[in-house]
Amino acid sequence: MRLDQVVLDTNILVTALRSKRGASFKLISLIGKGPFKINLSVSLVFQYEEILRRQRRSLHVAQDDIADVLDYLCSMANLHEIYFLWRPYLPDPQDDMVLELAVNAGCKYIVTYNKRDFRGAETFGIEVVTSKEFLEKIGVLP
């Protein structure tokens, strides 16, 4: 069985750490067990770390826990070096970084809560979906 290749936008991790009851937490809990594989680049991991550390108090997460989450994600992901930069393509350079990774990794999906920020991703054959939509597509939610 071929695993769907995905990139998770930072807002998915923030939402997953904020609540254990939502679709984002369910998605994160399936990493390494579900019918998909996440993809990471150094720059995306740095972005994850920066945002999670900045919001850690509101997330009620210890710095060591953030490091553990990031280590786990890195151990489960396909890791990519990005050799090409064709920015700007999207309005936000941080979103360009996510799109570049998705294109380089041959991803089918970008999972985010900011779908409108990724308008144009379909040009590259990438579908932009929320956590709930992705879980429905992989058959975890009805």
Side-chain angles (χ1 to χ4, degrees):
M1 175 170 94
R2 186 179 185 287
L3 300 177
D4 286 331
Q5 300 299 310
V6 303
V7 174
L8 304 178
D9 197 5
T10 307
N11 57 47
I12 300 300
L13 291 181
V14 170
T15 305
L17 292 175
R18 187 168 284 136
S19 172
K20 294 181 179 179
R21 291 181 280 145
S24 292
F25 184 82
K26 177 68 173 173
L27 174 60
I28 297 301
S29 71
L30 289 173
I31 292 174
K33 303 172 216 147
F36 64 93
K37 185 81 172 183
I38 65 167
N39 292 270
L40 291 173
S41 65
V42 171
S43 55
L44 185 57
V45 172
F46 282 151
Q47 182 185 36
Y48 286 174
E49 182 178 34
E50 175 193 348
I51 301 298
L52 293 177
R53 288 192 188 282
R54 188 177 341 136
Q55 295 187 19
R56 77 177 176 79
R57 284 194 176 94
S58 67
L59 297 171
H60 307 290
V61 177
Q63 288 212 32
D64 289 345
D65 293 335
I66 291 171
D68 290 344
V69 167
L70 295 175
D71 287 346
Y72 179 74
L73 293 175
C74 289
S75 73
M76 301 309 307
N78 292 324
L79 305 174
H80 298 272
E81 292 184 41
I82 306 301
Y83 294 104
F84 57 90
L85 299 172
W86 29 262
R87 299 175 188 182
Y89 187 79
L90 301 172
D92 182 347
Q94 299 299 323
D95 294 333
D96 272 331
M97 175 184 60
V98 172
L99 180 59
E100 287 169 349
L101 172 58
V103 170
N104 187 65
C107 290
K108 188 172 180 179
Y109 301 102
I110 293 174
V111 184
T112 183
Y113 286 113
N114 297 325
K115 290 172 64 170
R116 72 178 184 278
D117 292 346
F118 289 93
R119 283 191 195 121
E122 65 280 354
T123 304
F124 301 96
I126 299 168
E127 190 173 348
V128 181
V129 295
T130 65
S131 292
K132 182 180 178 193
E133 291 168 341
F134 182 69
L135 292 173
E136 289 169 347
K137 286 184 178 295
I138 64 172
V140 174
L141 293 180

